[in-house]
Amino acid sequence: MAKKHFPRYTLLALVFTVLYCTKDSAPPAEDQPYELILPPGFPVPLVPEDNALTVGRVALGKRLFYDPILSRDSSISCATCHKADLAFADSLPITPGVEGRLGFRNAPSLANLAWVSQFNKDGGVAKLDLQPVVPIEDENEMDLSLLKVVDRLNADASYRADFQLAYGDAASAFYLTRALGAFMRTLVSGGAPYDRYKNGQTDALDAEQLAGLALFETHCSNCHSGFNLTDNSFQNNGLYDNYQDQGRKRVTSLPEDEGKFRVPSLRNIALTAPYMHDGSLPDLSAVLDHYTSGGSQHPNKSDLIQPFTLSEQERQRLIRFLESLTDRTFVENPAHRME
Amino acid sequence: MKNFKFLFLAFLALPALVITGCKNEDDTPSETNTEVSFEFGYTVNDGDFQVGQVYTIGGTAVQIDVLNFYVGGIELHPEEGEHTHVEGKYLLVKPDVDEYEVTEVKSGHYHEIKFFVGVAPEENSQTEEDFTSRNADDPLAIQDPTMHWSWNSGYKFLRIDGKVDTDGDGTPETPMAMHLGNDDMLKNLEFPAHHDIEGDHTHLHFHFNINELLDGIDLSTDYSTHTGDNLPLATKLRDNLSKALGLE
């Protein structure tokens, strides 16, 4: 059977005539617009006016993403915790930072962040272009001030040239964070068997996976909905009775936000174990155990988390469906990797 | 020739007209302006505060290495007429800075000064301008030590870092970090004044009493807050600001 080719929706993500609001970062004349390829059914993401996507900016962001120059002792890069093979997540519950220091949250996948509006598991960061500040400055991750990173970058002639090409200026905290944001906006995942099925390729999912999809729609899709399989809400899923990590309450100080975390996308979920905000559930089977149990009795627990029963066969079908969310074209995309 | 004479006379008459005009203006009482600056004198245990020195506060040995805070929303209220609101002006108050230029106001008697400690929600949200996009001379730009949150959008309104003695041997050894942020930590303050703001420049001197700031806090056990993770301590510090700061 001939493989169906889906239309490619493209976004020329650079408009030279827009007004740049907060910082004049019109790309230098020699830089080129970056063509962001969108999967069918994906809305056009909002790209900040002060960080239009260009080839130079995305390339610079990728170089920075893979460079341990961002960490205090030059031992780790963004890619240490966000591995391309794992859909830009990690296989450890908590990935060590510099000197082996441990934070307290599991590294999330970076797929499709262009469609997220509140970042980190507690939604504490208001825009993608500021999110890189978190790992760079966190003492348990890279532990380096932005100003020191900028000094390092401007001491390197090849980085000076890259920043000049991308932003027409020397490295600064603004351009550093924007370049990383530009690269992350290109990490688009929408080519899984599930996507092909949704777009008309009826044999993209087998019978077991289709049965799993039905179970998913019954038990999971209230929160894991939409093209990115998340409603982006903050929910307490009853993982604990007492939360060491306060979740969204850490940001809002509101008691009703204790233990609430942003509902993650389930794209590539089979690659991103372990699960939950702290990586405490080792595999998908453990996740199903948690949800079928109905979770804890925490007062903030979502009403949607209620005990239910799955037979062994149903568990297997649901897991097979979740595996159909793995997008090999995303994971193996050479544009996302540093050769 | 006739025209030339006329022009010559007009040329002579012009300065006289100007001088006359100036004299008339001088006869009318005019408003003058005065530059205002703030000074913040840090005190501890009835003396001047020194960064890095060990003090005993509330029975606990403490070494404070950083004690910075933002001041914004400055208003100067004269006895008569409209008050001056210093729009968009922020001061980053540090122990080692003697003076902060604030604004120019009409000379006169002022009876109240207002400001808040913190950063207003519109700047704190980081949704438009953020700390990376501001010019280096802007107090809201990146600072060293940092005054922006990383894990949370916004600024540390008040940052205290140092060490405290938790084992009772008189030597501070445990890291202390008290960082206030989030919109609800903004503290509005009003200072009654009886000050003549006049001449070219007037300094308004505020005291910042660290004992009052840390009043009611057992530093041997309660020495860490990033606001949300220890809200009672953050709230206590915020509320103590009203008695720690005063206009002299």
Side-chain angles (χ1 to χ4, degrees):
Chain A
M1 180 177 171
K3 210 170 185 179
K4 184 165 181 179
H5 292 279
F6 293 99
R8 295 193 340 159
Y9 293 74
T10 63
L11 167 69
L12 281 176
L14 178 69
V15 181
F16 283 102
T17 53
V18 296
L19 295 173
Y20 293 84
C21 56
T22 57
K23 188 92 172 177
D24 180 10
S25 74
E30 61 269 32
D31 203 357
Q32 301 294 317
Y34 182 92
E35 188 182 6
L36 189 65
I37 299 171
L38 300 184
F42 276 44
V44 176
L46 292 174
V47 177
E49 292 177 347
D50 59 13
N51 196 23
L53 290 182
T54 68
V55 172
R57 291 172 182 181
V58 172
L60 173 59
K62 183 166 88 167
R63 181 181 178 192
L64 290 163
F65 186 88
Y66 284 96
D67 194 338
I69 196 172
L70 302 186
S71 59
R72 187 171 58 76
D73 57 4
S74 297
S75 62
I76 62 170
S77 70
C78 304
T80 302
C81 301
H82 300 284
K83 298 180 172 68
D85 286 342
L86 303 175
F88 291 92
D90 196 17
S91 58
L92 296 170
I94 310 292
T95 311
V98 295
E99 299 175 346
R101 298 177 199 164
L102 292 177
F104 55 97
R105 286 182 182 164
N106 179 246
S109 168
L110 303 185
N112 298 341
L113 292 183
W115 291 273
V116 175
S117 58
Q118 291 175 288
F119 297 88
N120 290 355
K121 295 177 193 297
D122 52 25
V125 177
K127 53 190 176 190
L128 179 58
D129 288 338
L130 274 188
Q131 202 286 332
V133 181
V134 181
I136 292 172
E137 292 198 332
D138 190 309
E139 63 181 2
N140 293 317
E141 297 188 55
M142 293 173 166
D143 193 28
L144 191 61
S145 80
L146 287 181
L147 296 176
K148 289 192 171 69
V149 177
V150 169
D151 287 345
R152 286 185 183 184
L153 296 170
N154 280 325
D156 183 313
S158 66
Y159 265 120
R160 285 202 303 274
D162 283 356
F163 275 96
Q164 191 65 39
L165 171 67
Y167 292 101
D169 207 344
S172 67
F174 182 83
Y175 297 133
L176 161 67
T177 53
R178 267 57 189 180
L180 285 163
F183 173 61
M184 288 192 284
R185 282 190 181 88
T186 69
L187 301 178
V188 177
S189 176
Y194 166 76
D195 296 295
R196 296 200 294 275
Y197 174 78
K198 294 288 278 186
N199 289 298
Q201 187 183 336
T202 53
D203 63 351
L205 300 183
D206 63 27
E208 195 172 34
Q209 288 169 325
L210 285 172
L213 171 59
L215 290 164
F216 177 83
E217 288 174 341
T218 301
H219 297 294
C220 315
S221 65
N222 274 312
C223 296
H224 297 286
S225 57
F227 76 98
N228 205 25
L229 298 167
T230 172
D231 63 0
N232 288 311
S233 65
F234 294 90
Q235 302 289 343
N236 179 320
N237 71 354
L239 189 61
Y240 297 116
D241 286 318
N242 296 299
Y243 282 83
Q244 276 195 312
D245 181 347
Q246 300 284 290
R248 186 147 177 78
K249 183 189 171 192
R250 190 169 177 245
V251 173
T252 66
S253 303
L254 298 172
E256 58 266 37
D257 282 337
E258 183 178 304
K260 288 186 179 175
F261 297 88
R262 185 161 56 83
V263 174
S265 168
L266 295 190
R267 291 193 167 277
N268 304 292
I269 191 69
L271 299 178
T272 64
Y275 303 103
M276 303 294 140
H277 66 272
D278 53 0
S280 58
L281 300 184
D283 51 36
L284 289 173
S285 183
V287 173
L288 295 189
D289 286 343
H290 165 69
Y291 283 115
T292 55
S293 75
S296 72
Q297 297 305 309
H298 194 282
N300 293 340
K301 188 182 75 167
S302 166
D303 292 340
L304 295 168
I305 308 295
Q306 299 292 338
F308 65 98
T309 303
L310 287 177
S311 67
E312 267 311 304
Q313 186 186 48
E314 288 173 324
R315 290 171 64 93
Q316 179 62 25
R317 288 172 170 174
L318 192 47
I319 288 174
R320 285 286 327 284
F321 167 72
L322 294 173
E323 289 170 348
S324 80
L325 301 176
T326 298
D327 177 2
R328 298 308 311 177
T329 61
F330 171 66
V331 172
E332 295 164 5
N333 189 341
H336 301 158
R337 293 167 173 266
M338 188 62 80
E339 301 307 328
Chain B
M1 190 68 182
K2 211 173 179 181
N3 285 344
F4 178 76
K5 275 186 180 174
F6 175 77
L7 283 172
F8 181 72
L9 288 171
F11 183 75
L12 287 176
L14 188 62
L17 286 171
V18 171
I19 290 166
T20 305
C22 287
K23 198 175 175 188
N24 284 346
E25 272 187 13
D26 285 346
D27 288 345
T28 307
S30 65
E31 289 171 340
T32 58
N33 290 337
T34 300
E35 291 279 350
V36 178
S37 61
F38 285 1
E39 297 169 350
F40 291 87
Y42 286 52
T43 63
V44 62
N45 297 345
D46 297 325
D48 290 341
F49 166 74
Q50 296 293 325
V51 167
Q53 284 209 4
V54 177
Y55 299 99
T56 299
I57 301 175
T60 301
V62 184
Q63 174 186 315
I64 298 175
D65 299 318
V66 178
L67 208 177
N68 302 346
F69 59 94
Y70 279 115
V71 163
I74 300 168
E75 294 180 8
L76 298 97
H77 291 253
E79 204 156 39
E80 294 177 355
E82 292 290 307
H83 75 272
T84 299
H85 177 209
V86 191
E87 187 76 36
K89 177 84 175 181
Y90 281 93
L91 314 178
L92 175 53
V93 181
K94 303 175 181 181
D96 57 351
V97 175
D98 293 330
E99 184 178 354
Y100 304 85
E101 295 297 330
V102 175
T103 191
E104 189 177 274
V105 296
K106 288 177 185 171
S107 306
H109 189 74
Y110 281 72
H111 71 101
E112 188 173 49
I113 311 296
K114 295 180 180 179
F115 60 70
F116 55 71
V117 172
V119 178
E122 51 266 34
E123 283 94 17
N124 198 39
S125 71
Q126 309 287 309
T127 50
E128 296 295 331
E129 275 199 285
D130 62 59
F131 56 88
T132 67
S133 63
R134 292 175 180 272
N135 292 327
D137 60 353
D138 186 336
L140 297 182
I142 297 177
Q143 303 294 323
D144 183 17
T146 62
M147 291 298 289
H148 62 265
W149 298 110
S150 57
W151 55 272
N152 189 7
S153 288
Y155 293 94
K156 299 165 188 171
F157 298 171
L158 167 71
R159 174 172 182 164
I160 309 173
D161 286 291
K163 295 175 183 171
V164 293
D165 173 25
T166 56
D167 57 14
D169 67 355
T171 302
E173 76 294 319
T174 302
M176 167 179 68
M178 301 179 184
H179 300 172
L180 263 68
N182 293 349
D183 292 345
D184 53 2
M185 284 293 129
L186 187 136
K187 181 66 175 176
N188 287 298
L189 298 169
E190 300 176 359
F191 303 94
H194 301 288
H195 284 68
D196 291 323
I197 295 180
E198 57 192 9
D200 291 338
H201 202 139
T202 292
H203 304 265
L204 294 178
H205 188 89
F206 295 85
H207 65 257
F208 184 43
N209 186 323
I210 295 169
N211 297 81
E212 294 287 4
L213 178 69
L214 300 173
D215 185 42
I217 297 167
D218 182 352
L219 293 170
S220 67
T221 58
D222 202 8
Y223 46 80
S224 177
T225 179
H226 298 84
T227 304
D229 63 348
N230 187 351
L231 201 55
L233 176 56
T235 304
K236 186 75 179 168
L237 287 164
R238 179 197 65 189
D239 293 346
N240 281 350
L241 282 166
S242 56
K243 57 182 181 179
L245 280 160
L247 177 63
E248 294 182 345

